[in-house]
Amino acid sequence: MKSAVLRARLMVAVAAVALAGALFFPLWRVSLTAPQYPEGLGMYIWAHTVTGVEPNDLQNINGLNHYIGMKTIVPESIPELGFMPTGIVAMSVAGLLVAAMGRRRWILVWGSVLLLSAVVGLVDFWRWEYDYGHNLDLEHAPIQVPGMSYQPPLIGSKQLLNFTATSLPATGGLLAIVSVILAVAAPLVARRDGAGSETRSMP
């Protein structure tokens, strides 16, 4: 079998395994630092739940959020956490099947679906942050700053009152990013054989 397709199949297989590995690690980490919290507070966003970096961090973050009118972060109330693990498993299994078949068309389809899923996931995460940071219960919030919103950044750091909020991919997120990069690159690698075949067939 042609070497470029073999490399593309291997890339898809590695991408599928890396994607499955993302289930076992947190996808994202959001951290808060402030003078009164020099060691910081943080939470991990997994494919199936949200936890504190330290045992009491999520509880403390929810306590701080109460003062500015933000909703309590309750993992069970976030619909995406209910179906995301199933979606990851399905895409991982599909990737292994595509790698076994070795068809260029299916390599392209799988890579495109994974890329689209990643974009939709990031947009949904941004929307989730927007909802928590903007839709505040100002009627009952002890601390009110007119016009202030508390949406953390999707990636990077942002000053929110006296807190610095930092949002970055965690281990699972990095595995997912590697998976998407390989999935996008695999069809490009597989196309080399097709292009080469066309060139050799020309008179």
Side-chain angles (χ1 to χ4, degrees), residues 114-137:
L114 184 58
L115 176 60
L116 178 61
S117 300
V119 172
V120 170
L122 286 174
V123 170
D124 186 67
F125 180 38
W126 180 89
R127 182 198 59 79
W128 181 80
E129 290 184 318
Y130 183 93
D131 178 56
Y132 272 82
H134 288 78
N135 296 327
L136 308 175
D137 182 11

Side-chain angles (χ1 to χ4, degrees), residues 82-99:
F83 60 76
M84 194 185 304
T86 302
I88 290 176
V89 170
M91 284 300 299
S92 298
V93 172
L96 293 175
L97 291 175
V98 167

Side-chain angles (χ1 to χ4, degrees), residues 27-180:
L27 299 174
W28 224 262
R29 174 173 176 159
V30 180
S31 302
L32 298 172
T33 57
Q36 64 268 44
Y37 291 98
E39 296 181 359
L41 300 172
M43 65 179 183
Y44 283 133
I45 300 172
W46 302 66
H48 65 288
T49 190
V50 179
T51 63
V53 173
E54 298 295 335
N56 295 319
D57 278 6
L58 185 58
Q59 179 182 349
N60 290 333
I61 289 172
N62 277 329
L64 290 170
N65 289 347
H66 165 74
Y67 284 101
I68 56 176
M70 287 182 70
K71 292 182 290 188
T72 301
I73 298 172
V74 180
E76 294 77 13
S77 69
I78 302 173
E80 293 85 347
L81 300 180
F83 60 76
M84 194 185 304
T86 302
I88 290 176
V89 170
M91 284 300 299
S92 298
V93 172
L96 293 175
L97 291 175
V98 167
M101 290 187 298
R103 300 289 182 88
R104 286 194 293 266
R105 177 179 299 178
W106 287 111
I107 290 173
L108 175 60
V109 169
W110 186 79
S112 300
V113 171
L114 184 58
L115 176 60
L116 178 61
S117 300
V119 172
V120 170
L122 286 174
V123 170
D124 186 67
F125 180 38
W126 180 89
R127 182 198 59 79
W128 181 80
E129 290 184 318
Y130 183 93
D131 178 56
Y132 272 82
H134 288 78
N135 296 327
L136 308 175
D137 182 11
L138 297 179
E139 183 178 349
H140 300 97
I143 299 175
Q144 299 184 26
V145 180
M148 182 71 184
S149 63
Y150 302 93
Q151 180 182 0
L154 183 64
I155 298 177
S157 296
K158 181 179 180 180
Q159 194 70 27
L160 302 172
L161 297 179
N162 62 327
F163 282 87
T164 300
T166 302
S167 176
L168 293 170
T171 302
L174 294 175
L175 285 172
I177 290 171
V178 169
S179 177
V180 171

